[in-house]
């Protein structure tokens, strides 16, 4: 990257996740120049809070802003595909909040639109870009764990049973799987690759959205992964990568900057890692996007767009197994 603020960011959808992301962009010294909302007053309030020069009262005006190079899409899940396509058609790169879209078909449409225009379309799976996760991938690649046998991870939170909350509203892509389960499913993919078979079980809430989901996936090497996601109860939010020679135990909260240990079967600690970063850590995905674009590339090494599409297909299959369908799905 030639300069730390080589791209000019636009924020599409000024909600809570956009606030966290924009705060981390500021921490990293990146250039946020515009925000767009369907309500001008919401965009203006967000712009005032973060010192952003341009506030737009529509997404169309945001993506048409000539000062914007890349758009961060932070709207509810069902709008991701349309919002990303809107930005791509305006010639803007996109970083799209997870889950990337509602379905694999939507994800493929966004991927293909970006490829046709020579633009970056990247999933904002910020965990992939965190320093402790990069170190974990290095350890796995080194072979020190021996033969990988299993990956376990949970993402379990006590959020709300309010049926109007987006997490419980099917029309907003609600359910623990897409909001929370995307993290451990993506982690299993990252470490073990594509699952060859999936078993899933879930509890559905009053609205038909999943409140707890458990998966067992078998991967090409023979290794197994298990995930648990829940929106009505908080668990340890820990993860492990288990090999024949050693394991990695990732502490709470494993998908955020945290600590981990590499431990042998007899309990010896081979390595201990502690995260020491500024902010929440969402800036690392943005810095990666800037490096990719500065290098003249349009895909991420940490999470290639084809993998994002394939992970969405895995989530589609899990939803099919547990009987969750969104309005408008065939």
């Amino acid at each position: 990257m030639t300069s730390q603020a080589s791209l000019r960011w636009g924020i599409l959808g000024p909600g809570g996740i956009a606030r966290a992301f924009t705060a981390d962009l500021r921490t990293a010294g990146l250039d946020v120049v515009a925000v767009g909302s369907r309500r001008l007053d919401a965009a203006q309030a967000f712009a005032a809070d973060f010192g952003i020069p341009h506030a737009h009262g529509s997404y169309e005006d945001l993506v048409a802003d000539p000062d914007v190079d890349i758009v961060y899409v932070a709207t509810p899940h069902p709008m991701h595909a349309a919002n990303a396509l809107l930005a791509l058609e305006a010639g803007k790169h996109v970083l799209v909040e997870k889950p990337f879209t509602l379905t694999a078909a939507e994800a493929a449409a966004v991927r293909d639109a970006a490829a046709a225009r020579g633009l970056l379309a990247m999933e904002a799976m910020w965990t992939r870009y965190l320093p402790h996760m990069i170190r974990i991938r290095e350890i796995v690649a080194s072979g020190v764990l021996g033969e990988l046998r299993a990956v376990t991870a949970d993402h379990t939170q006590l959020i709300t049973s309010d049926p109007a909350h987006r997490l419980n509203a099917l029309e907003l892509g609600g359910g623990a799987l897409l909001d929370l389960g995307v993290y451990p499913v993506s982690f299993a993919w990252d470490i073990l690759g594509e699952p060859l078979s999936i078993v899933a079980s879930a509890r559905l809430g009053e609205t038909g959205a999943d409140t707890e989901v458990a998966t067992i996936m078998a991967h090409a090497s023979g290794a197994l992964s298990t995930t648990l996601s829940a929106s009505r109860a908080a668990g340890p939010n820990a993860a492990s990568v288990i090999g024949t020679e050693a394991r990695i135990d990732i502490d709470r909260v494993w998908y955020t900057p945290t600590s981990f240990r590499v431990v042998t079967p007899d309990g010896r600690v081979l390595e201990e890692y502690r995260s020491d970063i500024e902010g929440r850590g969402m800036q690392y995905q943005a810095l990666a996007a800037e490096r990719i674009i500065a290098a003249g590339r349009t895909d991420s090494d940490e999470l290639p767009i084809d993998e994002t599409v394939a992970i969405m297909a895995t989530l589609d299959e899990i939803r099919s197994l547990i009987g969750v369908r969104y309005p408008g799905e065939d």
Side-chain angles (χ1 to χ4, degrees), residues 199-243:
V199 177
S201 186
R203 177 186 294 183
L204 305 186
E206 303 82 357
T207 64
D210 47 291
T211 58
E212 289 87 27
V213 186
T215 70
I216 304 170
M217 300 189 289
H219 301 260
S221 67
L224 299 177
S225 64
T226 63
T227 77
L228 174 64
S229 307
S231 60
R232 301 283 178 91
N237 287 300
S240 292
V241 180
I242 302 167

Side-chain angles (χ1 to χ4, degrees), residues 175-216:
L177 178 67
L178 256 61
D179 226 273
L180 310 176
V182 63
Y183 283 91
V185 169
S186 183
F187 181 56
W189 255 92
D190 190 15
I191 302 300
L192 298 177
E194 181 175 8
L196 302 184
S197 67
I198 304 171
V199 177
S201 186
R203 177 186 294 183
L204 305 186
E206 303 82 357
T207 64
D210 47 291
T211 58
E212 289 87 27
V213 186
T215 70
I216 304 170

Side-chain angles (χ1 to χ4, degrees), residues 10-311:
I11 307 299
L12 193 155
I17 194 70
R19 286 188 166 275
F21 178 72
T22 303
D24 277 352
L25 291 188
R26 290 294 194 218
T27 294
L30 302 186
D31 195 11
V32 188
V33 299
V35 56
S37 173
R38 290 174 297 184
R39 290 176 28 237
L40 181 59
D41 61 333
Q44 289 172 331
F46 190 95
D49 287 345
F50 290 101
I52 298 171
H54 304 301
H56 298 287
S58 73
Y59 301 149
E60 290 79 8
D61 287 349
L62 172 70
V63 302
D65 189 327
D67 288 342
V68 172
D69 301 313
I70 183 167
V71 172
Y72 170 68
V73 176
T75 45
H77 311 338
M79 300 152 196
H80 285 182
N83 296 158
L85 290 169
L86 182 72
L88 290 166
E89 287 160 5
K92 313 300 187 185
H93 303 285
V94 290
L95 177 66
V96 184
E97 256 311 322
K98 79 224 129 353
F100 189 68
T101 51
L102 266 189
T103 66
E106 288 185 352
V110 173
R111 174 196 63 195
D112 295 347
R117 292 164 176 79
L119 295 168
L120 173 71
M122 183 171 130
E123 182 181 5
M125 176 49 74
W126 61 297
T127 301
R128 288 276 181 121
Y129 301 90
L130 293 173
H132 78 290
M133 281 294 172
I134 291 171
R135 179 59 189 146
I136 285 168
R137 286 195 291 272
E138 291 171 350
I139 292 167
V140 169
S142 76
V144 72
L145 302 184
E147 178 193 353
L148 295 187
R149 303 292 293 184
V151 165
T152 68
D154 81 301
H155 188 174
T156 48
Q157 297 188 35
L158 177 60
I159 300 179
T160 179
S161 59
D162 179 0
H165 189 277
R166 66 172 185 82
L167 205 74
N168 301 312
L170 286 177
E171 66 273 17
L172 294 177
L177 178 67
L178 256 61
D179 226 273
L180 310 176
V182 63
Y183 283 91
V185 169
S186 183
F187 181 56
W189 255 92
D190 190 15
I191 302 300
L192 298 177
E194 181 175 8
L196 302 184
S197 67
I198 304 171
V199 177
S201 186
R203 177 186 294 183
L204 305 186
E206 303 82 357
T207 64
D210 47 291
T211 58
E212 289 87 27
V213 186
T215 70
I216 304 170
M217 300 189 289
H219 301 260
S221 67
L224 299 177
S225 64
T226 63
T227 77
L228 174 64
S229 307
S231 60
R232 301 283 178 91
N237 287 300
S240 292
V241 180
I242 302 167
T244 53
E245 302 299 322
R247 72 180 187 271
I248 302 172
D249 289 335
I250 314 173
D251 294 325
R252 173 181 184 87
V253 173
W254 68 267
Y255 50 85
T256 70
T258 189
S259 51
F260 69 78
R261 286 161 309 289
V262 182
V263 185
T264 64
D266 62 4
R268 287 183 300 117
V269 176
L270 301 181
E271 177 176 338
E272 186 161 5
Y273 184 101
R274 294 188 179 278
S275 294
D276 181 17
I277 70 166
E278 288 188 81
R280 187 169 184 239
M282 299 185 78
Q283 67 269 32
Y284 289 96
Q285 60 187 346
L287 291 165
E290 296 218 355
R291 286 193 299 270
I292 292 163
I293 293 166
R297 300 170 56 229
T298 56
D299 204 4
S300 164
D301 290 329
E302 288 84 359
L303 182 51
I305 188 63
D306 284 344
E307 187 172 331
T308 284
V309 174
I311 290 170

